[in-house]
Every structure is written in structure tokens, then in C-alpha cells.
Amino acid sequence: MSFVYNKLMGGKEGLTGFILLALLVLVVFPLCLDLFRLNLVGKYLTYAFPAISLVLLWGYGGILSLGQGIFFGLGGYGMAMFLKLEASSPENTAIQSTPGIPDFMDWNQLTELPWFWEPFGSFAFTIAAILIIPAAFAYIIGAAMFKRRVGGVYFAIITQVIAVILTILIVGQQGYTGGINGITDLRTLNGWDMTSDYAKYLFYLINCALLLGVIVLSRFILTSKFGSLLLAIRDKEDRVRFSGYDVSNFKIFVFCFAALISAIGGAMFTLQVGFMSPSFVGIVPSIEMVIFAAVGGRMSLIGVVYGTLLINFGKTAFSESFPELWLFLMGGLFISVVMFFPNGLAGLWQDYGHHITDRFKFITRLFKRKESLPLDDTAKSELAN
Amino acid sequence: MSTSTDLTLAIEDLTVSFDGFKAVDDLNLYIDKNELHVVIGPNGAGKTTVLDLICGKTKASSGSIKFLNKELTELAEHEIVRSGVGRKFQTPSIYENLTVFENLEVSYPYGRSVLGSLFFKRDQNVIDKIHEIAKEIMLDDALDTESALLSHGQKQWLEIGMLLIQDPQLLMLDEPVAGMSVKEREQTGDLLKKISKGRSVLVIEHDMDFVAQIAQKVTVLHQGKILAAGQMEKVQNDPKVIEVYLGH
Ligand SMILES: Nc1ncnc2c1ncn2[C@@H]1O[C@H](COP(=O)(O)OP(=O)(O)OP(=O)(O)O)[C@@H](O)[C@H]1O
Ligand SMILES: [Mg+2]
């Protein structure tokens, strides 16, 4: 019990925050929003996965990655490839010159399925690939960088460059990837209609459950000795190294874990939005993810979820009316948060939140009074039953 | 030079050059079991560089460093630490965002692998050990204090404690009393005497009074070379030493 309370939830404060978030996404949103908006929130919540990954990586580990879009994209594309293959059955694509392959391949004069697409016909393989490939790719990048002690700005720039290269590759290799349009027209999952209302609710709930699960798992990591070590590495890397730790292994691990989380978000994005394209892989989305984390509070697993939601609501509201202004506004917001509120929304809540919670103290007081009352007879007999 | 000895540390013909500048030049230095050895020397003499070489922070250009007959120059930093060498940095190097307790816990020599640290359990052994060390470094009342709030001297002690908890065979301290008050210096002197029982200690120091208080053997370093070595009194009266170091 104390393991769950302290290690998975992060004590009283963590538990309260977790329950409030769970209530918001599992109860309040589904009850208050129509399906269109709920689906939109579901999409936003998939961005919270890479934002959470940045809490571990950047907030605690001090490793700024400007390339989380890489892993979000890999996860998303993995799922999209599976769905696209299903959508491209010979019956569905009978009018193509080569039936049975995705439409964009046919348009690009491909006459057979490329070898690396083949295994994505299997759902089990796809899930495994989403969980393994991004993490393995992160391992390669991480081992190459951290073993050579590349860090700080250099690491940030290199991740950024990799994100650019990946985007260029996807856009350039149209016949294999769907190019700039991405992989579209995804309708069924194992023969089951993904666009139905029921499916949308279900995906939304699965997404929330995974998000909450990721928060719990991340909390476990951060409350373990590993979490203290991450902070220690961020502050005094040499001291950690000369205390007998192989620092690079810790950085590689947290980078891989961050990639894994981001990839799950990407896969859920594809399922809920129904397509995947390079515009969720490159520089802009990767930097946006950092902004979500910064605004929400890069030291707070829960805060970044609110940060992600807030910015995306703002983006939707604003970019409809003033699309040109939005980028400047977001840039300005980012700079002011970093300069004036380094702990983001979570920091504000910690500093000023008690003004609000104090008003609601009466609720806890109500409960307390009930508890301290001696049980009357009816209550006792109820308990006995 | 693969002679087996019962020395804790045997440094032979050690040289490191930075772009042709020899910061440590053909150095020989031996430290016995249970010896408290002090290295003194003017600024830029190469004292810190010697520690950097021993703990693997800087790679030697040539020469050998044997710790309990094990060659260190080939090993990675964390392997050197794990074989029993602890090093305190010249400026206190602690984790300011963690409490004193957490600083010591992070330094506890179990759970040093990724998985080990994820599943590390704060059991009674760990807690007892941390309390024991905290008492030794006079910080047992400050276990829950965020270490950024400690005084400069306390930070130095905390870093010493972080090394002690690993129970190293060779403890190397770079200017442990720099920036300390007179009283703190005395307490640190007592602490050093206590912790040098059962292990070898290599101290780098500027403060002559402090050296006189603790030292058994002193080596004077100058421009990367040994100028004099031996008992404190003898060294203090050496004309060469007086000229380059004690004279001013
Ligand atoms: N990594 C390095 N690259 C180039 N030069 C270096 C490097 N490390 C040390 N040096 C030089 O080597 C010389 C010895 O430096 P070191 O820090 O060992 O001196 P020190 O005896 O510890 O002095 P202090 O008493 O000031 O701490 C200095 O001239 C320094 O500039
Ligand atoms: Mg020095």
C-alpha cells in the first residue's frame, strides 16, 4: 500500500493531482464535450506523451531533446502502416494498376510491397515495432552521443538535425512513405470501423488509460534512486561519475524510455486522428513538445498534461482567427515562461494554488467530520451486512 | 615495472602534457597502507592534475598508476571508483537540489547500475549507514535539509561523507579546508584523523598550519615535479621549499 502511495503516486500531492487529472479526462471531458471536441482533446492528449517524456529527459535529466517528434512520428507511422495495409486489400484497391498495395505506392509506379512494409501486415508485429523500434533508434543515438560525452546544446542540435533528416526522408521517398501527404484514409482496425462513435470513445478512453499509466510508471522511475540520480547528473555530472556510476548508461536509458513514451503517443494519434504525416515529425512539432513541457512545468508529470491541453486549446482558438499571429504568440509565451516561470503552470500552482484549495477546504472538513462521528446503529448494521 | 608491492598507491614516471606543457612531469609517488599523505605546492604546481590522473578524469601521457597492484590508467572513471578510490573536488561538489540524506543515499555504493537504481530499496541497512556517516561528518541534525542551504564548510563535510559511505581504500581530498572558519578547520582536522584509520588518505592543501596539524608525510610539488618529500619538519626547513613556496 505504501509502495503504491509513495512510489507510484508520489505521496499526497502527487495522488491529489493524479486523481484530479483522471477525473478531468475520464469523467468531466466525456460528459461535457461533444464527440467532435472529445476527439480533439484526445488528439491533444497524445501530445502529452512526448511532453511527459521531456519531464524525465529535460526537467530531471537536464538533457534537452529537440527531436521527440522523431519518436512520436515513428510510433505514429508504425500504426499507420498497419492500418494502411489493411485498407489496401486487393478488393478495396481493385482499380489500381497493382491491386493490394497502398494507393500512394501505386501512384508512384511501385509494383510490389517494399520488404519493410511486409511485417506490418501483422498487428502483433506492429505493436511490438511501435514499442521497440523507436526505443532501439534512441538507443543508437544515445549510445553514440552519451558514450562520447556529447551533451547540452550539441545534443539538442543533433536531435534537431535527425528530426529534419527523417522528415526529408519521409517527404522524399514518396513511394515508400506517402510523402508530404503522409499515410491517409485509415478506416478499419482488424476489420472494425475506426470512425464510428463507439470506436472514438473507446480510443479516447484507451488513450487516457495509457496516459495515466505512463504517468504512474514515470512516477515510479522518478521516485526511485534512479530519479535522484537523474537530478544529480543534471546538477553535478562529474560527482556522479566519480561516485562510481557509468553516467552514459543512465542517460541512454532515460532517452530510450522517453522515446518509448513518445512512440505510444504517436500510435494513439494515428488511431484517433486517422492519418499520420511528416508534419508531426520535424522541427516544429518537436519544439512545440518542448513548449508544452515548459509551459506545463518541466518538473511536473501532471503539469505538462495541462500545459499541453492549454496550449492546444489556445492554438485551435487562436489560429482559426489569427493564424499568422499564433506562432509569434507561442514563441513569446515560451520565452516568458522560461524567463519568469521556470516551473511553468505547476510552479504557479505550487506558489498560488493554496489560495484556491483553501476555499475548498470545507469539502475535506465535511469528510473528516463524518469519519470522526461514532457510527450509529443503522450504519453498523449496514457494515455488518 | 610490474613488481608487486603492498603499497596502496604507486605512481611511477607519471607525465601528462597539455599541448606540450607538462603539468605533471615524471612524477613518482608512493602511499602506504593507512598513511595520511599531504601534497602541498604553489598555485598551478599540478596538484589537482595529479588527482585528475589518479581518478581517470585526465588521461596520462605516460607512466603508471598502480592502486593495490591494479593499473588504473587503463580503467574508466567509474571502474576506478568501484575498485576503491574516492575523490573530493576542490570546490564542494554536492547535489544542491537534494537533501543531505538523499546526497548520501545517491552515493551509497549499491544500486549503481540502471536496473539496480530503479529497484534500489531504502532498507534499514541503508538508513543506518546514512545516519552513521552523517554523525561522523557532524550533519546528523541536518539530514532533511536541502543541501544548498548548508554552510560552505558543511558542504565540504557532506562531500567527504559521500565518499566515506563508499568506504574507499584510498581517499583523496582536494583542499578540504578551503574557505572554512578556524573552528571548522579544527573539526575537519579531527575528522581526517578519524577517517584515515584503516585507509590511505591523500590530501592536497595550501594551509600550512592545517598541514602541520594533520600531516605524517608531505610531498612538495612544484611545476609538476617533486621538490621535496618527507616529514613535515624536514620539508618546512628545506631551503628550496622555503624559496618557492613558504617564502612568500
Ligand atoms: N585540462 C587542462 N588543459 C590545459 N592545462 C591544464 C589542464 N588542467 C590543468 N592545466 C594546467 O596545469 C597546471 C597545473 O594545474 P593544477 O590545477 O593541477 O594546479 P594546482 O596545483 O591544483 O593549483 P591550485 O593550488 O591553484 O589548485 C596549471 O598551469 C593549469 O593551467
Ligand atoms: Mg588545485
Side-chain angles (χ1 to χ4, degrees), chain A residues 7 149 220-221 224-229 231-247 249-250 253, chain B residues 55 57 77-78 81-82 87-89 93-95 97-98 105-106 108 110-114 117-120 159 162-163 166:
Chain A
K7 291 280 179 177
R149 312 241 167 116
F220 167 76
I221 291 181
S224 70
K225 188 180 176 188
F226 186 97
S228 310
L229 276 164
L231 278 179
I233 290 171
R234 188 191 73 184
D235 290 348
K236 286 273 167 22
E237 182 166 338
D238 258 350
R239 184 65 272 167
V240 180
R241 182 169 291 129
F242 292 107
S243 297
Y245 296 95
D246 189 348
V247 170
N249 286 345
F250 288 78
F253 178 86
Chain B
C55 71
K57 192 167 187 238
E77 294 96 327
H78 66 275
V81 176
R82 289 180 192 185
R87 183 245 173 109
K88 194 191 97 55
F89 291 94
S93 195
I94 55 171
Y95 314 122
N97 284 315
L98 303 181
E105 186 177 43
V106 161
Y108 191 77
Y110 289 93
R112 273 171 165 170
S113 66
V114 168
S117 71
L118 279 173
F119 298 103
F120 178 80
E159 195 179 354
M162 289 157 69
L163 301 174
Q166 307 184 357

Side-chain angles (χ1 to χ4, degrees), chain B residues 18 21 23 41-50 52 90 174-175 206:
Chain B
F18 300 116
F21 166 72
N43 288 108
K47 305 179 299 288
T48 299
T49 308
V50 172
D52 286 347
Q90 191 162 343
D174 202 344
E175 307 203 9
H206 263 303

Side-chain angles (χ1 to χ4, degrees), chain B residues 17-22:
Chain B
S17 80
F18 300 116
D19 302 322
F21 166 72
K22 286 184 175 167

